[in-house]
Amino acid sequence: MNTTELAWQAEEACHNAWPALHQVWCGDWMLRISGGFGRRVNSANPLYAEAGLADETLAACQTVYRGQGQPVIFRVPTLLDPTVDARLGYTAEGETITLHADIGAVDTTLDEAVEVLSYPSDDWLAAMKLAQERDDDAQDFFTRIVRSLMIPVGFAGLRVDDDLVALAFGALHGDLLGVESVITSEAHRGKGYARQLLNALFAWAAAAGARGVCLQVEAPNAPAIALYKGLGLTTELYRYHYRREPA
């Protein structure tokens, strides 16, 4: 598989690991709609590298989002022809990096402190809500998303004194693991728990047939990028940013 093919596989993996509640196909774009919670699942996404943006397609996308009372947002990966980005002219925001590693390049050490479940338990969801400091509405949205996943998923949690203090989940798209929602509770940061947690998640994926790992991280988040590169995810496949229509 060449680099471009791998990049588009990562696109698919990350979409499937964080699915929108609703989708509308519009020309060369997939419109993801989820009621306003987060840009990834409330933005228009290109379906392939040759995706264009004709006037009628742009107008149709605008109509859909405005009809939902949501801002018009396009997610623009660097895999596209740059003229598409220039065509939009909206405000740019949210630059994000997609990192990748072959499964042999990461540590797949199991840790008895980490459990990997096939379904998000109430305990895991409650710990995620606490760690992410979400309100009830945001947590309800998160729960609906993770319970709607249609591909194999591992929900990882690391316990200290019976409390879940580090969490993440990974969804297996073919032979590529897409990692999501990595978090350590504030009181337990800086102790290496995220590394232990992710190594165990990688081990779960390897046992399920994964040949690679990918994840997406916001470009300004230097500590997270350092963590992931230290874990072996040193290949940058591509970046993306959003274009938001001015209010």
Side-chain angles (χ1 to χ4, degrees):
M1 183 181 298
N2 63 40
T3 302
T4 300
E5 291 173 334
L6 179 59
W8 282 101
Q9 184 187 13
E11 269 284 274
E12 294 174 9
C14 292
H15 282 322
N16 285 339
W18 191 241
L21 297 179
H22 306 282
Q23 294 181 170
V24 176
W25 290 58
C26 187
D28 297 334
W29 297 76
M30 177 176 65
L31 279 54
R32 309 181 87 205
I33 303 164
S34 301
F37 282 93
R39 292 173 296 198
R40 278 178 64 192
V41 287
N42 287 286
S43 55
N45 293 259
L47 294 170
Y48 38 77
E50 297 78 20
L53 193 59
D55 288 347
E56 58 269 26
T57 301
L58 175 58
C61 294
Q62 292 170 333
T63 297
V64 170
Y65 283 113
R66 290 169 183 169
Q68 295 299 313
Q70 294 186 204
V72 181
I73 301 174
F74 282 78
R75 180 177 164 277
V76 186
T78 54
L79 302 168
L80 285 185
D81 185 326
T83 60
V84 175
D85 190 38
R87 165 81 176 82
L88 280 165
Y90 294 172
T91 303
E93 60 187 43
E95 184 182 13
T96 300
I97 302 169
T98 304
L99 298 175
H100 173 269
D102 291 332
I103 199 70
V106 299
D107 188 346
T108 54
T109 301
L110 289 171
D111 191 309
E112 292 183 357
V114 181
E115 58 189 20
V116 183
L117 307 175
S118 61
Y119 189 77
S121 66
D122 291 342
D123 191 21
W124 188 92
L125 288 167
M128 184 64 81
K129 178 184 180 183
L130 184 63
Q132 296 279 15
E133 299 181 344
R134 294 194 180 102
D135 61 22
D136 290 343
D137 287 343
Q139 180 63 15
D140 178 66
F141 166 76
F142 178 84
T143 300
R144 291 173 67 193
I145 290 287
V146 298
R147 285 184 172 166
S148 72
L149 287 160
M150 302 300 291
I151 57 178
V153 189
F155 296 92
L158 183 148
R159 291 188 182 272
V160 174
D161 297 328
D162 204 40
D163 292 326
L164 287 168
V165 302
L167 306 111
F169 73 89
L172 197 58
H173 172 68
D175 61 3
L176 183 60
L177 177 72
V179 178
E180 296 284 342
S181 298
V182 181
I183 186 73
T184 302
S185 61
E186 188 172 1
H188 293 88
R189 292 173 186 168
K191 300 178 181 179
Y193 291 151
R195 178 180 291 273
Q196 290 176 247
L197 176 84
L198 290 173
N199 288 345
L201 186 58
F202 298 158
W204 169 85
R211 299 179 63 184
V213 181
C214 68
L215 55 78
Q216 295 175 330
V217 56
E218 291 191 356
N221 192 346
I225 293 170
L227 167 67
Y228 301 140
K229 288 189 173 182
L231 287 167
L233 285 91
T234 56
T235 299
E236 180 179 322
L237 292 177
Y238 62 97
R239 297 189 177 204
Y240 68 81
H241 59 269
Y242 298 93
R243 290 283 183 179
R244 180 188 297 263
E245 182 182 42

